[in-house]
Amino acid sequence: MYREKYAQSRALHLYTTGRSQEVLPMLLEEGAPPEQAEPLALKYLKMQRLLATEDARKQLKASQMLVTIGAVFLAGGTALTLLSLLFLGGSYVLYLGVLLFGAGLLVKGITGKQAATKRLQTSFP
């Protein structure tokens, strides 16, 4: 008896972990008809690539949002610090927490964006 959902899930896992050579024997072992095993393996490979591409695109979108939010916090902290310098007559309040939070989000967003872009470019030409 061929368990299609289990075989699909296992094939996707094997492709994701880089063990693509094990997919065809696994499909045959699970009871897939021999004439359909190769087309099934190709179908599951395409499905895994589609899922990985979608994941990378979601990561790219989330990273862009982090870059934007980080830049807003960084600009806001800088503006508040400069305003305090203007209105306090020589002394100022450094909004260090806001500045560090913004810088942290900015760095996290930039590194995530680079990683997602690299995944999109190298894995799926």
Side-chain angles (χ1 to χ4, degrees):
M1 179 176 135
Y2 177 59
R3 301 180 295 178
E4 185 176 353
K5 290 290 185 185
Y6 173 74
Q8 175 183 344
S9 172
R10 193 161 169 214
L12 291 175
H13 175 71
L14 289 172
Y15 280 128
T16 301
T17 58
R19 300 182 334 203
S20 57
Q21 70 279 3
E22 298 177 26
V23 173
L24 201 54
M26 180 274 302
L27 289 173
L28 293 172
E29 180 183 306
E30 287 299 322
E35 65 276 357
Q36 291 181 357
E38 205 165 311
L40 278 173
L42 185 60
K43 174 185 170 184
Y44 296 150
L45 175 63
K46 289 178 182 178
M47 188 180 301
Q48 188 274 335
R49 286 185 175 171
L50 179 67
L51 290 172
T53 301
E54 189 61 34
D55 268 356
R57 286 186 179 147
K58 284 180 183 178
Q59 182 186 2
L60 191 62
K61 193 173 187 177
S63 296
Q64 183 59 45
M65 187 179 349
L66 285 176
V67 167
T68 303
I69 294 170
V72 167
F73 270 90
L74 205 54
T78 303
L80 286 173
T81 301
L82 291 175
L83 284 173
S84 72
L85 179 64
L86 287 173
F87 289 114
L88 293 178
S91 61
Y92 61 94
V93 177
L94 181 62
Y95 290 87
L96 191 59
V98 176
L99 292 170
L100 290 177
F101 182 71
L105 286 179
L106 194 64
V107 168
K108 184 176 180 180
I110 289 172
T111 56
K113 192 174 176 182
Q114 289 172 344
T117 303
K118 184 177 179 183
R119 279 177 49 198
L120 281 172
Q121 290 175 346
T122 58
S123 299
F124 314 103

